Amino acid sequence: MSDFVRLDPVRKALLDDLDEGFAELFSAHRGLVFSTALRMSGRWADAEDLTAETFLRAYRALTGYDRERIAALQPRPWVLTILMNIWRNCARAKSRKPPPDLREEPVESVDPREGVEEAAVRRETGKELSELLGLLPDEQRAAVVLRHVVDLPVSEIAAVLQIPQGTVKSHVSRGLRRLRTLGGTR
């Protein structure tokens, strides 16, 4: 049991009580997962769906893990790996279906504490970034978002995307170069 004492709070909570530990996992990583999902999908509603599905699958997986597997778990890259797998599967499925009717675009939720000027700047910047990220190839978008939006180290990005660290660096570099080119043409 002394090995478990040195664990981060999320893993320790998961080992102590799976349900309470999962609540801790959710609280610790929901913002990260949602932010990543939003940058990957480009749509608020899609990001909410991706986030919900990520945590649903995470909980289901945890119920089948033994104590040793939970103790060895790296929560942040683990939930992001789940998210990226769901996102890839959704992107694949969408490419096989005709595009949806966008005449009734959902209204973005607004934070009532935020001033009008801040909301306008945030929305415009976020919209422009989402559009530019959406123009990148999937592997470059994923690497750039995880590195520069989520601020993960290259080693964790490699674990999340299941590719070598050198490939991560290459995707980030090419993605940033392309973003600079695309941003300059607008």
Side-chain angles (χ1 to χ4, degrees), residues 14-25:
L14 286 167
L15 287 166
D16 291 343
D17 180 298
L18 184 62
D19 291 333
E20 286 183 28
F22 182 76
E24 178 112 5
L25 173 80

Side-chain angles (χ1 to χ4, degrees), residues 71-91:
L73 192 68
Q74 296 295 319
R76 184 171 65 175
W78 180 71
V79 294
L80 288 173
T81 299
I82 295 169
L83 168 64
M84 298 308 285
N85 287 335
I86 295 168
W87 172 75
R88 274 191 222 103
N89 291 340
C90 289

Side-chain angles (χ1 to χ4, degrees), residues 2 12 28 46-47 58 76 90 136 158 173 182:
S2 63
K12 184 165 179 359
D46 290 345
R76 184 171 65 175
C90 289
L136 293 178
S173 175
L182 291 169

Side-chain angles (χ1 to χ4, degrees), residues 125-168:
T125 303
K127 183 178 178 188
E128 183 179 345
L129 179 59
S130 291
E131 288 173 1
L132 290 173
L133 286 169
L135 297 173
L136 293 178
D138 290 348
E139 63 278 354
Q140 290 176 8
R141 180 180 345 152
V144 168
V145 166
L146 292 173
R147 182 68 191 108
H148 292 287
V149 176
V150 179
D151 201 30
L152 287 184
V154 171
S155 61
E156 284 189 28
I157 298 169
V160 169
L161 299 179
Q162 301 170 345
I163 58 177
Q165 289 185 29
T167 305
V168 169

